[in-house]
């Protein structure tokens, strides 16, 4: 068995390898060859403990994740936990991974895959609302799949972006990107072609203004519970299709559930990005509207497939701490 910490996980793999693993996870989900029980959540006083097992052909993964909303104000990550990998043949534990970092890594790649298939190829500007751990990895992949020249940042709580920007500059190899802090969400929307939201807000981040928001590509990854949403009704009105990762996103995420309940969005306009990916690869691209939107709530297949990749690459490259139980 090996144990991989945050630094070792990022050393073990390249961004393209993780992107390919996420695309493979979408294909596995589309093919149906998996067992993924519903996420089990235990909550007390706003703090959550989540338990997410998943069986694939060659690996079993179990993610145990704690979400403590007060942590960012204490200078600690919102999410922390572990992912345990078991060999599918005999159930033996093969690896223990940093669960919060795996979540950020694979969710960043999920956003990157969505940008790859939805955002205009000539897009040069990306705006991020929510400059935390999840937002950080979203930008790593966004700048990898598109030739981004400007990164715009907005966070309702962050006052000093110095460390966030420095870490991005250290991790993004290209040095021609300008980083700009926006005074509010309206300015972020005005100046960005791709808009990524990675927050836990209860109310929409952007003004409910169709003129302001039309023509954007939205990647919304936060506020994944039914009574919270990051995007205003204007986005539901602007898009022909919302691409999601799972059917239950329509019940679990307020970004979809609320406009569906109010009749602003209809069920036939919610489609699945795994079908878009498969069709594009088969030479049957979808006709995309001017405004585009991907909503993810996450799934255990991502953790299993990317965890498997990390384990295999760590063994291949001699990375990690070996432990005998």
């Amino acid at each position: 068995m090996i144990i991989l910490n945050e630094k070792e996980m990022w050393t073990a793999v390249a961004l393209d390898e993780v992107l390919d693993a996420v695309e493979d996870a979408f294909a596995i989900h589309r093919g149906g060859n998996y067992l993924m029980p519903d996420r089990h959540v235990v909550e007390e006083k706003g703090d959550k403990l989540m338990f997410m097992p998943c069986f694939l052909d060659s690996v079993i993964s179990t993610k145990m994740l704690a979400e403590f909303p007060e942590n960012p104000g204490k200078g600690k990550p919102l999410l922390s936990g572990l992912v345990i990998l078991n060999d599918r043949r005999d159930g033996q534990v093969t690896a223990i991974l940093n669960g919060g970092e795996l979540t950020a890594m694979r969710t960043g790649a999920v956003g990157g895959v969505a940008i790859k298939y939805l955002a205009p190829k000539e897009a040069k500007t990306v705006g991020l609302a929510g400059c935390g751990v999840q937002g950080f990895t979203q930008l790593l992949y966004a700048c990898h799949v598109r030739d981004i020249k400007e990164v715009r940042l907005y966070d309702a709580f962050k006052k000093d972006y110095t460390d966030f920007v420095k870490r991005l500059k250290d991790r993004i190899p290209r040095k021609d990107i300008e980083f700009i802090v926006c005074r509010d969400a309206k300015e972020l929307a005005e100046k960005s072609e791709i808009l990524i939201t990675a927050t836990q807000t209860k109310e929409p981040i952007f003004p409910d203004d169709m003129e302001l928001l039309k023509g954007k590509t939205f990647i919304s990854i936060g506020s994944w519970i039914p009574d919270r949403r990051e995007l205003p009704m204007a986005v539901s009105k602007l898009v022909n299709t919302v691409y999601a990762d799972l059917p239950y996103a329509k019940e679990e995420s307020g970004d979809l559930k609320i406009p569906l309940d109010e009749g602003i969005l209809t069920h036939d306009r919610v489609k699945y990005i795994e079908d878009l990916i498969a069709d594009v690869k088969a030479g049957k691209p979808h006709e995309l509207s001017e405004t585009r939107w991907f909503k993810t709530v996450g799934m255990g297949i991502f953790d299993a497939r990317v965890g498997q990749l990390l384990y295999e690459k760590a063994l291949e490259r001699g990375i990690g701490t070996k432990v005998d139980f």
Side-chain angles (χ1 to χ4, degrees), residues 1-5 8 12 314-315 317-323:
M1 184 187 77
I2 62 171
I3 298 175
L4 294 173
N5 62 27
E8 290 165 338
L315 287 182
R317 294 163 182 170
I319 296 168
T321 302
K322 293 186 178 180
V323 177

Side-chain angles (χ1 to χ4, degrees), residues 129-130 154 185-186 188 197-199 201 203-207 229-232:
Y154 169 70
K186 183 175 183 291
L188 188 76
T197 54
T199 75
T201 183
E203 299 297 331
I205 297 165
F206 305 109
R229 58 192 176 110
E230 297 184 298
L231 303 182

Side-chain angles (χ1 to χ4, degrees), residues 4-291:
L4 294 173
N5 62 27
E6 174 186 342
K7 182 178 179 181
E8 290 165 338
M9 288 165 63
W10 285 103
T11 303
V13 293
L15 296 185
D16 281 328
E17 292 172 327
V18 185
L19 288 164
D20 289 344
V22 165
E23 288 200 31
D24 189 43
F26 279 122
I28 292 169
H29 185 260
R30 190 170 189 264
N33 191 23
Y34 63 90
L35 173 63
M36 184 177 62
D38 290 344
R39 177 192 291 124
H40 183 64
V41 181
V42 180
E43 181 175 356
E44 185 182 30
K45 298 178 181 179
D47 298 325
K48 297 183 181 70
L49 184 64
M50 294 167 279
F51 180 77
M52 291 158 277
C54 182
F55 281 65
L56 301 184
D57 274 351
S58 57
V59 66
I60 304 167
S61 74
T62 305
K63 181 161 74 172
M64 293 171 286
L65 207 60
E67 179 186 284
F68 277 55
E70 301 300 320
N71 272 4
K74 302 174 184 176
K76 298 178 180 180
L78 172 72
L79 298 173
S80 61
L82 298 173
V83 173
I84 300 171
L85 302 182
N86 300 72
D87 192 307
R88 183 64 184 88
R89 297 167 298 182
D90 55 20
Q92 297 300 298
V93 176
T94 58
I96 297 176
L97 314 175
N98 181 318
E101 200 59 34
L102 178 57
T103 300
M105 177 185 285
R106 58 83 153 162
T107 308
V110 169
V113 168
I115 291 171
K116 174 182 173 182
Y117 285 93
L118 289 178
K121 288 183 170 56
E122 65 275 9
K124 303 292 184 186
T125 60
V126 60
L128 170 68
C131 300
V133 174
Q134 300 292 325
F136 183 87
T137 55
Q138 291 293 318
L139 288 180
L140 287 185
Y141 286 96
C143 292
H144 186 73
V145 300
R146 287 293 181 268
D147 184 22
I148 299 297
K149 299 299 184 185
E150 289 184 359
V151 171
R152 294 182 179 270
L153 306 170
Y154 169 70
D155 191 296
F157 302 102
K158 190 178 290 294
K159 304 299 181 184
D160 186 354
Y161 295 78
T162 305
D163 180 63
F164 188 80
V165 171
K166 181 182 182 303
R167 289 189 294 114
L168 281 170
K169 288 181 176 179
D170 289 343
R171 291 284 294 276
I172 298 173
R174 290 176 24 235
K175 303 305 177 186
D176 60 342
I177 301 174
E178 183 179 6
F179 294 87
I180 302 164
V181 174
C182 295
R183 64 182 179 274
D184 55 32
K186 183 175 183 291
E187 181 185 350
L188 188 76
E190 286 174 339
K191 304 290 186 178
S192 305
E193 297 162 281
I194 302 168
L195 285 166
I196 302 169
T197 54
T199 75
Q200 291 301 311
T201 183
K202 293 183 179 179
E203 299 297 331
I205 297 165
F206 305 109
D208 194 16
D209 182 342
M210 293 177 67
E211 188 63 28
L212 172 69
L213 302 177
K214 72 177 182 180
K216 313 293 184 182
T217 299
F218 292 90
I219 309 295
S220 53
I221 72 164
S223 296
W224 52 270
I225 56 179
D227 62 349
R228 296 185 180 191
R229 58 192 176 110
E230 297 184 298
L231 303 182
M233 290 297 187
V235 179
S236 294
K237 295 174 183 176
L238 283 164
V239 297
N240 291 343
T241 299
V242 183
Y243 287 95
D245 50 1
L246 288 171
Y248 70 67
K250 294 189 286 186
E251 288 79 41
E252 186 172 273
S253 163
D255 270 312
L256 297 182
K257 185 178 189 306
I258 294 171
L260 282 168
D261 288 348
E262 296 188 12
I264 304 299
L265 188 64
T266 53
H267 288 276
D268 62 299
R269 290 166 55 210
V270 181
K271 298 181 181 179
Y272 303 105
I273 199 164
E274 62 195 40
D275 295 327
L276 169 66
I277 294 169
D279 286 348
V280 169
K281 288 183 173 181
K284 300 182 293 183
H286 293 198
E287 184 176 344
L288 299 175
S289 57
E290 180 186 17
T291 307

